[in-house]
Structures are given as structure tokens and as C-alpha cells.
Amino acid sequence: MSMQEESFISHLVELRDRLLRAVVAVVVVFLCLMPWAGDIYDVLAAPMMQALPEGTKMIATGVITPFFVPMKVTLMVAFVLALPVILYQAWNFIAPGLYAHEKKLALPLVVGSTLLFLAGMAFCYFFVFGTVFHFIAQFAPKSITPAPDIEQYLAFVMTMFLAFGVTFEIPVFVIILAKLGVVDVAKLQEARPYVIVGAFIVAAVVTPPDVVSQCLLAIPMCLLYELGIFLARFVTKPAAPVVAE
């Protein structure tokens, strides 16, 4: 067996070990949280419950749905809580293959992207859900009693969390593109009108069909793009002036 093949196999073994450690961390946290799975789901459902008429509850149409949906929510929370361990394993796997200057940029990007994703989820939970659900409830006819299904609610929540989490990664994407030299700051500024239009198109696709939720996603996208442009100035070198011969 050649040295190259041995190195490849050793990398695979290390990757397997680090993935296993990450999975074990998630499972351990999940098992610790399982006794409170119902309470965790209640916390997730709080924005919807506050928007429903008094005395109204959500419903479960499936036989095993009342068990599996809280378990899925608990697993999601376990993954978020175990994220430091997961990132630590990922960083220890890729760090040996990076140069010193790459490590200086990669570590802040990994930590920053994680914090931004969590910030997007928090913004969605604490601000967007309450605003959107109350806005929708105001337009509900008096002749009906809203009773959302918990499985559909979970699917909606996961979609919104993913949309806002990815949206808050925009500064990271902009910085990476600028650092790699794909675009410069001037080009990013010129693309601003197209980004604004694209933000509202994306918001219209991934959010419910109401103006409030679309604006709550599109406006942060535009602001985060501006933040990315601002930060890109500090990670890119200014173009060298052209000297006339």
C-alpha cells in the first residue's frame, strides 16, 4: 500500500471517529432532554398559542404524532446545544490542512456563521412568529376556530428557521466572495439594486403569502448584505494603483 493510500485511509478513519463523537454528543444531550420533550415543544408552540383565541389548542391528527413531533423538536434542540462539540470536531479535522493565514480567517468565519445562524433562528422565534401569527389571526373569519396541526406547525417552523438562519449567513457569503477575489467591494455595491429585488423574490417564495412575513425576511437580507459589504472592506486588499509607463 502506497503512502498516499495510507494517508487517505487514515483521514477516513479520523473523519469517522470525529463524526461518531459529534453524533454521540447529540444523542447524549437528546437523552438528557427527553423527559422534558413536551415542555420543549410547548416553548416552540408559544408564539402560535399566544395568537390563537383563548381556550383554543393545537391538534394532532396522527395516532403517534403527539409522541414523535415533540421528539423531533427535542432532537433539533439537542443538535443546537451540541453544536460547540460538533464544530470543535469539524475544526480539529480541517485545521491541520490549513495554512496559518487560512486558519486566521477560517476560525472567525466558522464561529461567526454559527452565531449568525442562531441569531437568525432567534430573530424568527422572538419577533417574526409573533408578528406573523397575530397578523394572520386578524384576518381569520369569525365563523371559524383556528386549530393548527402540530405536524404542519413543525414543518412551517423548520422552514422558517432554515430560511432566516441562511439569510443571516449573507455577510459570511459576501466576505468569502470578496476574500476569494470573485467580486470586489465596488462590484458588490453596484449589485445592490439586484440584491434588493432578489431579496423580495426569495422572501415571497420561502415565506407565507403575506406582506408582513415577506418584508420581515427581505429587509434583514438587504441590511445583512450591506453589513457584508462593510466587513468585506477589512478582509480584502485595496487594488494596487496602475502606474503609467
Side-chain angles (χ1 to χ4, degrees):
M1 184 180 295
S2 65
M3 293 292 295
Q4 187 175 4
E5 290 177 343
E6 289 181 358
S7 176
F8 178 72
I9 292 175
S10 66
H11 278 77
L12 286 180
V13 172
E14 183 184 2
L15 178 60
R16 180 203 63 188
D17 292 342
R18 296 201 177 279
L19 284 175
L20 183 60
R21 292 171 190 170
V23 171
V24 168
V26 175
V27 171
V28 169
V29 177
F30 173 72
L31 293 176
C32 293
L33 295 177
M34 270 189 63
W36 297 277
D39 296 327
I40 293 172
Y41 181 83
D42 288 341
V43 172
L44 183 67
M48 172 61 77
M49 297 303 299
Q50 293 172 1
L52 292 176
E54 187 176 355
T56 305
K57 295 184 178 181
M58 301 175 72
I59 62 172
T61 56
V63 176
I64 58 177
T65 301
F67 172 78
F68 274 112
V69 169
M71 289 296 106
K72 291 178 182 178
V73 175
T74 305
L75 182 60
M76 178 185 69
V77 174
F79 177 82
V80 172
L81 293 179
L83 204 53
V85 177
I86 298 172
L87 293 175
Y88 176 78
Q89 298 300 327
W91 176 251
N92 281 338
F93 179 73
I94 65 174
L98 300 176
Y99 293 107
H101 68 279
E102 292 175 333
K103 290 182 181 179
K104 291 180 180 179
L105 179 63
L107 185 57
L109 285 179
V110 170
V111 175
S113 61
T114 302
L115 295 177
L116 284 171
F117 193 92
L118 295 178
M121 294 177 61
F123 176 78
C124 185
Y125 177 82
F126 289 105
F127 183 70
V128 176
F129 284 164
T131 304
V132 171
F133 295 154
H134 279 92
F135 176 79
I136 294 175
Q138 290 177 354
F139 287 87
K142 301 297 183 181
S143 57
I144 67 170
T145 301
D149 177 69
I150 62 172
E151 198 163 16
Q152 293 180 352
Y153 176 74
L154 177 60
F156 170 81
V157 165
M158 294 296 291
T159 301
M160 294 291 284
F161 276 161
L162 181 62
F164 278 86
V166 172
T167 295
F168 273 60
E169 298 292 327
I170 288 178
V172 176
F173 297 147
V174 173
I175 291 172
I176 292 176
L177 290 175
K179 183 64 177 178
L180 294 177
V182 178
V183 292
D184 56 22
V185 174
K187 292 293 184 183
L188 291 171
Q189 292 174 333
E190 291 176 5
R192 186 180 287 118
Y194 304 100
V195 171
I196 294 174
V197 174
F200 279 91
I201 293 175
V202 171
V205 173
V206 301
T207 60
D210 64 90
V211 177
V212 175
S213 58
Q214 292 172 10
C215 290
L216 289 177
L217 180 59
I219 293 175
M221 288 178 70
C222 298
L223 296 177
L224 289 166
Y225 181 77
E226 295 297 329
L227 176 62
I229 294 176
F230 174 76
L231 296 176
R233 302 176 188 274
F234 299 96
V235 299
T236 56
K237 296 180 180 179
V242 178
V243 179
E245 296 183 358

